[in-house]
Amino acid sequence: MTYRGGVPLAEVVRSGFVEGVHRGSVVVLDAAGTVLAGVGDVVSPIFPRSSNKPMQAVGMLDAGLPLTEPADLALVAASHAGEEFHLARVAGLLADAGLDEAALHCPPELPVGEQARAAVLRAGGGPTRIQMNCSGKHAGMLLTCRAAGWPVDGYWRPGHPLQQRLRGVIEEFTGEEAAAIGVDGCGAPVLAVSLTGLAGAYLRLVGAESGTAPGRVADAMRAYPEIVGGTWAEDTRLMRGVPGLLAKVGAEGVIATALPGVGAVALKIDDGGGRARMPVLVSALRRLGVDAPVLEEFAEVPIFGGGLPVGAVRPLW
């Protein structure tokens, strides 16, 4: 089964003229996991990219990841901005395991956060593995391998015992067999599931009992949202602004969210761009009755001309 693409979800308006449209797919589940609304293709597989990370973190805990600090667990599920507090925490995890940055398989990169990246360049620095936004996940994978007695070499390969365990957890939480295995931007496997399966997985995460592996991951991410993304990250700001909400962005225009007792949303913008993602998400969350000042901040994305706002990206659905 191949993803068939979505429908117009947002329009780009400049000076009162519609100059473009973003297409995509979005599904809204109620608190019981029933599809409340959906448009586009919400049943064919997509790569959720980093939106899979909370489930991977659950799998690491199940396999013996020896973390007791919730902030460290939030980092394992993070796509961090590369701010100083992120890098220090990744370095600490590696040091605790007697490892250094060279053990990470993720590629050397500059921080994804604009301010962190600018600071590195001002200081004359360049790309490093620890600055890559998935370095927390990779550090967690290394620690899990050490705890489980699995080889560290090749920990990122799909046939490694770690990755086999993580695949099982993702399939369990989504209720779907992975339709494909790809190589994510960080070099680790990424599994294809549907948007409906992804939304259901997030609903299970926020509904888990405190102290269980999924409950610990969901609680850690919501307690330390700035570690999950960064000071200005979209998912960080959402979790700060909507108490109890779990949110995680993924590359190629993906985001998944859930609120206990309310429901869940998963969406993908087909062109992979990020600017339409939040206005569409706000529209979907409002269908669940979610309301908070932070949603007003994301309801439209301004379009500029000559340095001044002249339009916006706004939802159609």
Side-chain angles (χ1 to χ4, degrees):
M1 187 181 295
T2 303
Y3 177 65
R4 299 187 302 272
V7 302
L9 290 179
E11 61 182 5
V12 184
V13 182
R14 180 181 297 274
S15 304
F17 180 82
V18 178
E19 66 171 347
V21 173
H22 291 281
R23 302 174 67 89
S25 301
V26 54
V27 65
V28 181
L29 305 183
D30 65 17
T34 302
V35 175
L36 181 67
V39 290
D41 185 357
V42 300
V43 297
S44 298
I46 62 151
F47 281 137
R49 305 294 297 274
S50 287
S51 294
N52 276 344
K53 283 179 177 173
M55 292 177 281
Q56 291 173 311
V58 171
M60 291 184 225
L61 282 177
D62 284 344
L65 176 63
L67 294 183
T68 57
E69 290 292 333
D72 288 336
L73 189 54
L75 184 66
V76 171
S79 298
H80 66 72
E83 297 172 80
E84 284 298 324
F85 62 89
H86 293 125
L87 306 186
R89 193 165 287 276
V90 177
L93 288 180
L94 292 171
D96 289 344
L99 300 168
D100 59 22
E101 186 175 343
L104 297 171
H105 179 67
C106 52
E109 289 188 4
L110 289 168
V112 296
E114 291 184 12
Q115 295 183 10
R117 181 168 61 250
V120 170
L121 294 175
R122 281 196 305 269
T128 65
R129 295 184 188 277
I130 205 168
Q131 290 174 163
M132 201 272 171
N133 71 94
C134 299
S135 64
K137 178 182 77 173
H138 279 254
M141 289 179 173
L142 287 165
L143 269 65
T144 302
C145 288
R146 283 286 178 86
W150 294 327
V152 169
D153 291 343
Y155 72 87
W156 62 90
R157 301 190 188 281
H160 190 282
L162 170 67
Q163 301 303 336
Q164 292 291 307
R165 175 68 67 89
L166 302 190
R167 174 176 179 169
V169 171
I170 290 174
E171 292 180 336
E172 176 189 352
F173 270 73
T174 60
E176 300 176 1
E177 184 176 347
I181 303 176
V183 180
D184 213 335
C186 65
V190 58
L191 306 183
V193 296
S194 74
L195 287 171
T196 302
L198 182 64
Y202 273 64
L203 204 55
R204 293 181 182 93
L205 285 166
V206 299
E209 292 185 12
S210 182
T212 64
R216 287 180 61 194
V217 171
D219 288 347
M221 292 175 67
R222 291 177 291 187
Y224 294 93
E226 71 282 355
I227 291 180
V228 174
T231 303
W232 304 108
E234 293 171 343
D235 42 14
T236 293
R237 292 161 64 192
L238 270 176
M239 288 190 283
R240 282 182 186 148
V242 183
L245 185 76
L246 179 69
K248 183 70 190 73
V249 299
E252 295 299 320
V254 176
I255 189 167
T257 68
L259 192 60
V262 177
V265 177
L267 68 86
K268 175 177 173 60
I269 305 300
D270 288 351
D271 60 26
R275 67 179 180 175
R277 175 167 52 197
M278 297 307 289
V280 174
L281 177 65
V282 169
S283 178
L285 287 172
R286 284 175 170 164
R287 288 170 182 259
L288 287 169
V290 179
D291 189 23
V294 70
L295 298 188
E296 289 298 328
E297 299 176 31
F298 289 122
E300 294 187 352
V301 174
I303 297 293
F304 293 89
L308 298 174
V310 297
V313 179
R314 60 193 187 196
L316 290 170
W317 182 78

